[in-house]
Amino acid sequence: MASPGHSDLGEVAPEIKASERRTAVAIADLEWREMEGDDCEFHYGDGTNEAQDGDFPTERSRLQEMLSLLGLEIYQAQKLSLQDALQISNDSMKNWAPQVPKDLPWNFLRKLQALSAEARNTTMVLDAPPDARPTEKENQMEEEIIYWDTADDISADIYSFSELPTPDTPVNPLDLLCALLLSCDSFLQQEIVQKMALCQFALPLVLPDSENHYHTFLLWALRGIVRTWWVQSPRGLGNLREDSMVLPRAPTFAFVRMEVSSNSKSQLLNALLSPPHRQRDCFWHRDLNLGTNPREIADGLVELSWFLPSGREDQDIFLEPVAFLNLRGDIGSHWLQFKLLTEISSAVFILTDNISKKEYKLLYSMKGSATKYYFILSPYRGKRNANLRFLNRLIPVLKMDHSHVLVKVSSTDNASFVRRVRAILAHVARSPCRRVSVEDMAHSARKLGLKVDEDCEECQRAKERMERIARKIRDAEAYRRDELRLQGEPWRKAAQVEKELCQLQWAGDPPEKYRTELRHRLLELRTQQHGQDPAWGVQEFVRGLSSPSLSERQYFLRWMEWGLARVAQPRPRQPPETFLSLRPKHGGSGGAGDLSEPLWPEGLGVEHFLREMGQFYEAEACLVEAGRLAAGQRRFAHFPGLALELLLKGLPLELVDGGTLSTPLRWVTGLLKELHTRLERRARLVVLSALGVPGTGKSTLLNTMFGLRFPTGGRGCSPRGAFMQLITVAEGFSQDLGCDHILVIDSGGLVRGTLPTAGGPFELEASLATLIMALSNVTVVSLADTRDIPPAILHAFLRLEKTGHLPNCQFVYQNLHDTSALGLKPRERRQLPEPASEASRTEAQTEKQGGGLRTLADLAFCNPEKQHVWHIPGLWHGVPPMAAVSLGYSEAIFELKRCLLENIRNGLSNQNKNIQQLIELVRRL
C-alpha cells in the first residue's frame, strides 16, 4: 500500500491521519531519547493550530485592537465593498501622507488603485494635527516609515523616535494587508489582489485569522488574475498562452523558516526571481530601507508569486512557469500551513540556523512524503555537531542525500549561492515532480480543514449556472447566430433604417412618403424581432441577473466573464516583442481599415447577452410607441433595471453597440431613466470620455485612474463598442466638486485612424467620435504618435466648434515602449502639439472652415486654460510578463487625475448635466 504522503504527478497528496502523525512523533521522540537521554515530554496536536485556553482572549484582543487601530472594526459585520473603495472624495485630489493609523487602509487602497510601486511603503506623518493634510511645503517634516514586510527572524528591531509622538501600536504593513482583507468583501479582495499582481507584489494565498483560528485559502481572490507567457514547444517553435493563473499546473517551491534563520527567505526568493542586473523586490524583506515592525496578526500568512517566461533568453530564468510560496513565521507555530505546503510543493526549502528537538520531531512526522526537502543552514558556533546528528537521522526519513543540505554563512558569495539554488530548482522542475495548479492547492486546503473563499453557497450557485450556459457553447460564431438571434442582421437592418429616419430630420423637407416607408420597414423588422422568444441561454442569463441575492448576481457576472472567455474567445498568437507594448496594436493613425471588419475575430462575452436583452427591450418598446402592443402586455420592461444593477456595481455597459456600431436609443435611454429614478436627488452628472485608436492605452489609463474595469484588448480581442461606467462622488465632497456622479465613457475600438478618403467608414467613425465628445464635459484624447491626431477626432473637434460645445480636453501622449523617462514629471515635459499632419489638413479642408486651414495647435489651444498636453512614461518597468508597472506611469496618471478633478471643480469643463438632460442630449445626437 502506498505511503499516505505519496501521490501521482499533478495530484495533491492526501492528508496524513492524525494517528499516523502521532505515531511518527512518538518514534522520533524515542530516537531523540536514545541520542540525548532527554526525559522531557513533547506535546503535539493533531494538525490544527492549537492554543491553550488562556491564549484565545489574547489572540482575539490582538486582532480586535488592530482593527480598531486601523478604523476597520466597523467593517466586520458589513464588509467594505469595491464601490466604497472607488468613491471620489477630497482625498482623491491630494497626494497626502497618512497621519494616523486610521488613514493607512485608505492610503494603501489609493496607491494600489494607481498601481504605485510605492504602495507597500506607507509613510505616516506624526507631527501634524490629525485633521490636517500635509502640503508640498511640509516636505521637510520628520516621518515614521512603516514597512510592508518583516524580517524572516522571529524578532525585529523597533525603531522609535523619542522626540516625536508615536501611535500606541506600530503598524506592520503585513498586518495592514491582513486586517484590510479581513474587512473586505470578496469582490474588493479580488480587486486588491489583481492590483498587487500588476505591481509584481507577492500575493496572499492563505489569509490567517488569529482570532478564530480559521484560516482562509484565497482561491476566488486569485481567480481574476490573467497573465500571458511564452510557451516553448519541444520542436523549438513557441507561442503565447493567456490564461487565468489559478488553472495551469506548474512546479511549486515553498520556502519556510524553522525557528531562527540568519538568512532571509524573502531576499533569497527575490534573488531567484530577478534577472541579471535587475533586482526585484517581489517579497518585501528586512534589509529594505530602515527596518521593520513586529507582526501582530500576519504570522501564518502564505504568500505566492510566479515566474513566467517571456521567450527572451536573456530574461528567462526558467523555461516554464514556476510558483514560489513563502510562509511568514515559524513552521512550528504554523503547522497547518506548513502541512499544506508539504502537500502541494515539488520541493520545500527549510531555512534555519539550528535544528532543535521540537523541529526534529515535526520533520520526522513528514516520513513518507513525496515532497523533496532541502535545508539551508547558517549554524551557530558550537551547534554544528548537533545539526549533523539530526540531519543524519532525517536523511533516510525524508529521502534526502547530502546534496540536499546547503550551508550559507556571511562569507558565502551570494551570486554563486543563488546560481546553485536555481540549478536545484531547474533540476527538480525537469525531473518527475509534483505539479499543481492553484485550484489543486485549494483542493488540498479543503482536506486539511482550511476555509476556501470560493466555497460559499452564492458563489457555487452562480458557478453552476454559468457552467450550464457554457456547456451549450461549442463555437462562438454559431452560438451568436443560433442563440442570440436578435443580433446580427436583424439588428443591423433596424439600425440602418433608424439612422436614415434620423438623417431625414435634418434634410429640410423630406418626402413624407419615404419617411412613412421607412417607419413601416422599421415596424416590420421590430415585429419580426418581437416574434422571437429568448433562447434558453438568454433566459438562464436573465435568471442569473434576477437572483434575490446581490452577492450571487455579482458572482454570476464574474463567472460568466471568465467562463465565456475560456470557451469562446479567439487567441491570436504574437511574437514575444509584443509584450513590450501596452496591448497589441490594431492599425495605426494612417490606416484605412473598414469599421465593418472586426479588429480580431469577434468572441463571445457578457456584452452579447446584454445586447440581446437590449434588442428584446428595443423591439417591444418600438411596438408600444407605434400602438402595435399594449403597455400591459410588455414582458421585457424590467430589463433596463437588471442592467442598471450591473452598472451600479461596477460593470461597464455598452453605449455604442460594438456589433453594428450604432446606439440602441431606447435601451440606453431606458437605462438612464432607471438611473435617474434610482439616484433621485443625487442625479448631477459629469461625463468624462476617452478617445483614441486601439493600442494607445486609453482603457488602461482610465482603469488605473479610477479603478474601473473597461476591457483592454486582453483575451486576444479588442472591444469595438463604446462602454460606460459610473463612479460615485462621496456625499461630503459632491457639493465641492459640483456633481454627484461621474459617468466615464471609453471609446473602445470605435476610432481606428481611418482616412477621410475611406468614405463611409470614415464618416461613421467621425460621427461616433462626435457623439462621444458631444456628450462629454471632459475628454481625454490618448495618442501614441506625437505628430498626428486621428482624422475622425479632428473632425469631431471641427464639428463641435461650430456649436460652441467643446469639452475640456486633455491630450495624452503615451510612450508605450520606452521607460527611460521614468523620472520626469508630466508637466516638465509638456509641449504644444506639432502642426497638423497631411491627413488632418485634408480633413480640415473638407470641413471648409471660414478662416482657411488651421493647425492642430490653433484648434486645440484656442483656450490655453482649458486644454493641456501630457506626456506619460511607459507602462512597464522591465520586460513583461515579469515587469511591474513603472512608478513614473503611476505618478503621471495621478497628476492627470488630479488635474481632471480640479477642472471639474473649478468649472473649466462644460456645464454639468443632470440625468434628464443627458437623456435629451442622447436623443438629439
Side-chain angles (χ1 to χ4, degrees), residues 313-332:
E313 292 183 3
D314 61 329
Q315 296 290 326
D316 288 348
I317 301 167
F318 304 99
L319 299 180
E320 63 176 324
V322 178
F324 292 88
L325 304 174
N326 185 16
L327 171 62
R328 297 292 178 175
D330 171 45
I331 61 174

PDB file of all heavy atoms in Angstrom, residues 313-332:
ATOM      1  N   GLU A 313      15.813  34.830 -24.147  1.00  0.00           N
ATOM      2  CA  GLU A 313      16.811  34.050 -23.429  1.00  0.00           C
ATOM      3  C   GLU A 313      17.540  34.867 -22.372  1.00  0.00           C
ATOM      4  O   GLU A 313      17.932  34.333 -21.332  1.00  0.00           O
ATOM      5  CB  GLU A 313      17.825  33.467 -24.428  1.00  0.00           C
ATOM      6  CG  GLU A 313      17.234  32.405 -25.358  1.00  0.00           C
ATOM      7  CD  GLU A 313      18.282  31.808 -26.268  1.00  0.00           C
ATOM      8  OE1 GLU A 313      19.472  32.195 -26.129  1.00  0.00           O
ATOM      9  OE2 GLU A 313      17.929  30.969 -27.110  1.00  0.00           O
ATOM     10  N   ASP A 314      17.737  36.166 -22.628  1.00  0.00           N
ATOM     11  CA  ASP A 314      18.475  36.976 -21.667  1.00  0.00           C
ATOM     12  C   ASP A 314      17.643  37.335 -20.440  1.00  0.00           C
ATOM     13  O   ASP A 314      18.175  37.867 -19.460  1.00  0.00           O
ATOM     14  CB  ASP A 314      18.975  38.257 -22.332  1.00  0.00           C
ATOM     15  CG  ASP A 314      17.832  39.113 -22.856  1.00  0.00           C
ATOM     16  OD1 ASP A 314      16.793  38.538 -23.248  1.00  0.00           O
ATOM     17  OD2 ASP A 314      17.968  40.347 -22.882  1.00  0.00           O
ATOM     18  N   GLN A 315      16.341  37.045 -20.470  1.00  0.00           N
ATOM     19  CA  GLN A 315      15.467  37.397 -19.357  1.00  0.00           C
ATOM     20  C   GLN A 315      14.889  36.175 -18.641  1.00  0.00           C
ATOM     21  O   GLN A 315      14.498  36.278 -17.481  1.00  0.00           O
ATOM     22  CB  GLN A 315      14.296  38.265 -19.862  1.00  0.00           C
ATOM     23  CG  GLN A 315      14.713  39.607 -20.421  1.00  0.00           C
ATOM     24  CD  GLN A 315      15.215  40.547 -19.357  1.00  0.00           C
ATOM     25  OE1 GLN A 315      14.752  40.537 -18.231  1.00  0.00           O
ATOM     26  NE2 GLN A 315      16.197  41.375 -19.721  1.00  0.00           N
ATOM     27  N   ASP A 316      14.817  35.058 -19.324  1.00  0.00           N
ATOM     28  CA  ASP A 316      14.106  33.905 -18.782  1.00  0.00           C
ATOM     29  C   ASP A 316      15.012  33.061 -17.896  1.00  0.00           C
ATOM     30  O   ASP A 316      15.932  32.390 -18.371  1.00  0.00           O
ATOM     31  CB  ASP A 316      13.528  33.059 -19.920  1.00  0.00           C
ATOM     32  CG  ASP A 316      12.354  33.738 -20.599  1.00  0.00           C
ATOM     33  OD1 ASP A 316      11.866  34.736 -20.043  1.00  0.00           O
ATOM     34  OD2 ASP A 316      11.943  33.285 -21.679  1.00  0.00           O
ATOM     35  N   ILE A 317      14.733  33.094 -16.605  1.00  0.00           N
ATOM     36  CA  ILE A 317      15.484  32.307 -15.633  1.00  0.00           C
ATOM     37  C   ILE A 317      15.056  30.850 -15.714  1.00  0.00           C
ATOM     38  O   ILE A 317      15.871  29.932 -15.576  1.00  0.00           O
ATOM     39  CB  ILE A 317      15.259  32.873 -14.224  1.00  0.00           C
ATOM     40  CG1 ILE A 317      15.716  34.338 -14.175  1.00  0.00           C
ATOM     41  CG2 ILE A 317      15.980  32.039 -13.168  1.00  0.00           C
ATOM     42  CD1 ILE A 317      15.253  35.074 -12.946  1.00  0.00           C
ATOM     43  N   PHE A 318      13.754  30.632 -15.920  1.00  0.00           N
ATOM     44  CA  PHE A 318      13.207  29.290 -16.098  1.00  0.00           C
ATOM     45  C   PHE A 318      12.468  29.261 -17.430  1.00  0.00           C
ATOM     46  O   PHE A 318      11.998  30.290 -17.921  1.00  0.00           O
ATOM     47  CB  PHE A 318      12.266  28.926 -14.952  1.00  0.00           C
ATOM     48  CG  PHE A 318      12.894  29.035 -13.589  1.00  0.00           C
ATOM     49  CD1 PHE A 318      12.681  30.162 -12.800  1.00  0.00           C
ATOM     50  CD2 PHE A 318      13.716  28.030 -13.111  1.00  0.00           C
ATOM     51  CE1 PHE A 318      13.265  30.278 -11.545  1.00  0.00           C
ATOM     52  CE2 PHE A 318      14.312  28.139 -11.854  1.00  0.00           C
ATOM     53  CZ  PHE A 318      14.089  29.259 -11.079  1.00  0.00           C
ATOM     54  N   LEU A 319      12.331  28.074 -18.003  1.00  0.00           N
ATOM     55  CA  LEU A 319      11.723  27.941 -19.329  1.00  0.00           C
ATOM     56  C   LEU A 319      10.231  27.643 -19.261  1.00  0.00           C
ATOM     57  O   LEU A 319       9.595  27.483 -20.301  1.00  0.00           O
ATOM     58  CB  LEU A 319      12.444  26.837 -20.118  1.00  0.00           C
ATOM     59  CG  LEU A 319      13.931  27.089 -20.374  1.00  0.00           C
ATOM     60  CD1 LEU A 319      14.533  25.933 -21.171  1.00  0.00           C
ATOM     61  CD2 LEU A 319      14.149  28.420 -21.088  1.00  0.00           C
ATOM     62  N   GLU A 320       9.690  27.558 -18.066  1.00  0.00           N
ATOM     63  CA  GLU A 320       8.263  27.310 -17.888  1.00  0.00           C
ATOM     64  C   GLU A 320       7.800  28.073 -16.655  1.00  0.00           C
ATOM     65  O   GLU A 320       8.625  28.518 -15.838  1.00  0.00           O
ATOM     66  CB  GLU A 320       8.002  25.812 -17.712  1.00  0.00           C
ATOM     67  CG  GLU A 320       8.661  25.226 -16.468  1.00  0.00           C
ATOM     68  CD  GLU A 320       8.315  23.761 -16.270  1.00  0.00           C
ATOM     69  OE1 GLU A 320       7.177  23.391 -16.573  1.00  0.00           O
ATOM     70  OE2 GLU A 320       9.191  23.011 -15.800  1.00  0.00           O
ATOM     71  N   PRO A 321       6.482  28.255 -16.474  1.00  0.00           N
ATOM     72  CA  PRO A 321       6.003  28.914 -15.265  1.00  0.00           C
ATOM     73  C   PRO A 321       6.401  28.129 -14.014  1.00  0.00           C
ATOM     74  O   PRO A 321       6.338  26.901 -13.991  1.00  0.00           O
ATOM     75  CB  PRO A 321       4.482  28.933 -15.448  1.00  0.00           C
ATOM     76  CG  PRO A 321       4.277  28.869 -16.919  1.00  0.00           C
ATOM     77  CD  PRO A 321       5.386  27.994 -17.441  1.00  0.00           C
ATOM     78  N   VAL A 322       6.803  28.833 -12.998  1.00  0.00           N
ATOM     79  CA  VAL A 322       7.193  28.238 -11.723  1.00  0.00           C
ATOM     80  C   VAL A 322       6.546  29.059 -10.616  1.00  0.00           C
ATOM     81  O   VAL A 322       6.565  30.302 -10.648  1.00  0.00           O
ATOM     82  CB  VAL A 322       8.728  28.223 -11.547  1.00  0.00           C
ATOM     83  CG1 VAL A 322       9.100  27.646 -10.187  1.00  0.00           C
ATOM     84  CG2 VAL A 322       9.392  27.426 -12.664  1.00  0.00           C
ATOM     85  N   ALA A 323       5.960  28.377  -9.621  1.00  0.00           N
ATOM     86  CA  ALA A 323       5.315  29.048  -8.487  1.00  0.00           C
ATOM     87  C   ALA A 323       6.226  28.999  -7.270  1.00  0.00           C
ATOM     88  O   ALA A 323       6.910  27.998  -7.026  1.00  0.00           O
ATOM     89  CB  ALA A 323       3.978  28.392  -8.173  1.00  0.00           C
ATOM     90  N   PHE A 324       6.212  30.103  -6.492  1.00  0.00           N
ATOM     91  CA  PHE A 324       7.005  30.197  -5.268  1.00  0.00           C
ATOM     92  C   PHE A 324       6.075  30.568  -4.115  1.00  0.00           C
ATOM     93  O   PHE A 324       5.260  31.485  -4.236  1.00  0.00           O
ATOM     94  CB  PHE A 324       8.098  31.258  -5.424  1.00  0.00           C
ATOM     95  CG  PHE A 324       9.161  30.887  -6.416  1.00  0.00           C
ATOM     96  CD1 PHE A 324       9.017  31.201  -7.768  1.00  0.00           C
ATOM     97  CD2 PHE A 324      10.302  30.214  -6.015  1.00  0.00           C
ATOM     98  CE1 PHE A 324       9.989  30.859  -8.680  1.00  0.00           C
ATOM     99  CE2 PHE A 324      11.280  29.861  -6.934  1.00  0.00           C
ATOM    100  CZ  PHE A 324      11.127  30.173  -8.268  1.00  0.00           C
ATOM    101  N   LEU A 325       6.238  29.868  -2.993  1.00  0.00           N
ATOM    102  CA  LEU A 325       5.423  30.091  -1.802  1.00  0.00           C
ATOM    103  C   LEU A 325       6.321  30.476  -0.642  1.00  0.00           C
ATOM    104  O   LEU A 325       7.431  29.960  -0.490  1.00  0.00           O
ATOM    105  CB  LEU A 325       4.622  28.837  -1.441  1.00  0.00           C
ATOM    106  CG  LEU A 325       3.716  28.270  -2.536  1.00  0.00           C
ATOM    107  CD1 LEU A 325       3.098  26.963  -2.085  1.00  0.00           C
ATOM    108  CD2 LEU A 325       2.633  29.268  -2.907  1.00  0.00           C
ATOM    109  N   ASN A 326       5.823  31.383   0.183  1.00  0.00           N
ATOM    110  CA  ASN A 326       6.604  31.895   1.312  1.00  0.00           C
ATOM    111  C   ASN A 326       5.714  31.934   2.550  1.00  0.00           C
ATOM    112  O   ASN A 326       4.699  32.637   2.567  1.00  0.00           O
ATOM    113  CB  ASN A 326       7.130  33.299   0.987  1.00  0.00           C
ATOM    114  CG  ASN A 326       8.042  33.847   2.064  1.00  0.00           C
ATOM    115  OD1 ASN A 326       8.524  33.108   2.914  1.00  0.00           O
ATOM    116  ND2 ASN A 326       8.273  35.145   2.030  1.00  0.00           N
ATOM    117  N   LEU A 327       6.062  31.156   3.569  1.00  0.00           N
ATOM    118  CA  LEU A 327       5.316  31.150   4.829  1.00  0.00           C
ATOM    119  C   LEU A 327       5.935  32.158   5.779  1.00  0.00           C
ATOM    120  O   LEU A 327       7.126  32.079   6.096  1.00  0.00           O
ATOM    121  CB  LEU A 327       5.340  29.749   5.456  1.00  0.00           C
ATOM    122  CG  LEU A 327       4.776  29.639   6.883  1.00  0.00           C
ATOM    123  CD1 LEU A 327       3.305  30.037   6.919  1.00  0.00           C
ATOM    124  CD2 LEU A 327       4.972  28.225   7.429  1.00  0.00           C
ATOM    125  N   ARG A 328       5.134  33.093   6.260  1.00  0.00           N
ATOM    126  CA  ARG A 328       5.595  34.075   7.236  1.00  0.00           C
ATOM    127  C   ARG A 328       5.449  33.486   8.634  1.00  0.00           C
ATOM    128  O   ARG A 328       4.369  33.070   9.031  1.00  0.00           O
ATOM    129  CB  ARG A 328       4.786  35.359   7.126  1.00  0.00           C
ATOM    130  CG  ARG A 328       4.929  36.053   5.787  1.00  0.00           C
ATOM    131  CD  ARG A 328       6.317  36.601   5.596  1.00  0.00           C
ATOM    132  NE  ARG A 328       6.477  37.240   4.295  1.00  0.00           N
ATOM    133  CZ  ARG A 328       7.561  37.869   3.923  1.00  0.00           C
ATOM    134  NH1 ARG A 328       8.599  37.928   4.731  1.00  0.00           N
ATOM    135  NH2 ARG A 328       7.636  38.425   2.724  1.00  0.00           N
ATOM    136  N   GLY A 329       6.540  33.495   9.370  1.00  0.00           N
ATOM    137  CA  GLY A 329       6.514  32.932  10.704  1.00  0.00           C
ATOM    138  C   GLY A 329       7.204  31.583  10.750  1.00  0.00           C
ATOM    139  O   GLY A 329       7.666  31.046   9.736  1.00  0.00           O
ATOM    140  N   ASP A 330       7.267  31.006  11.924  1.00  0.00           N
ATOM    141  CA  ASP A 330       7.972  29.753  12.173  1.00  0.00           C
ATOM    142  C   ASP A 330       7.058  28.571  11.893  1.00  0.00           C
ATOM    143  O   ASP A 330       5.875  28.591  12.247  1.00  0.00           O
ATOM    144  CB  ASP A 330       8.437  29.753  13.630  1.00  0.00           C
ATOM    145  CG  ASP A 330       8.991  28.413  14.065  1.00  0.00           C
ATOM    146  OD1 ASP A 330       9.777  27.836  13.297  1.00  0.00           O
ATOM    147  OD2 ASP A 330       8.606  27.954  15.152  1.00  0.00           O
ATOM    148  N   ILE A 331       7.588  27.519  11.272  1.00  0.00           N
ATOM    149  CA  ILE A 331       6.746  26.365  10.933  1.00  0.00           C
ATOM    150  C   ILE A 331       6.223  25.667  12.180  1.00  0.00           C
ATOM    151  O   ILE A 331       5.144  25.083  12.163  1.00  0.00           O
ATOM    152  CB  ILE A 331       7.491  25.364  10.022  1.00  0.00           C
ATOM    153  CG1 ILE A 331       8.744  24.816  10.721  1.00  0.00           C
ATOM    154  CG2 ILE A 331       7.835  25.999   8.694  1.00  0.00           C
ATOM    155  CD1 ILE A 331       9.438  23.726   9.924  1.00  0.00           C
ATOM    156  N   GLY A 332       6.963  25.731  13.283  1.00  0.00           N
ATOM    157  CA  GLY A 332       6.484  25.087  14.496  1.00  0.00           C
ATOM    158  C   GLY A 332       5.238  25.740  15.049  1.00  0.00           C
ATOM    159  O   GLY A 332       4.424  25.070  15.693  1.00  0.00           O
TER     160      GLY A 332
END
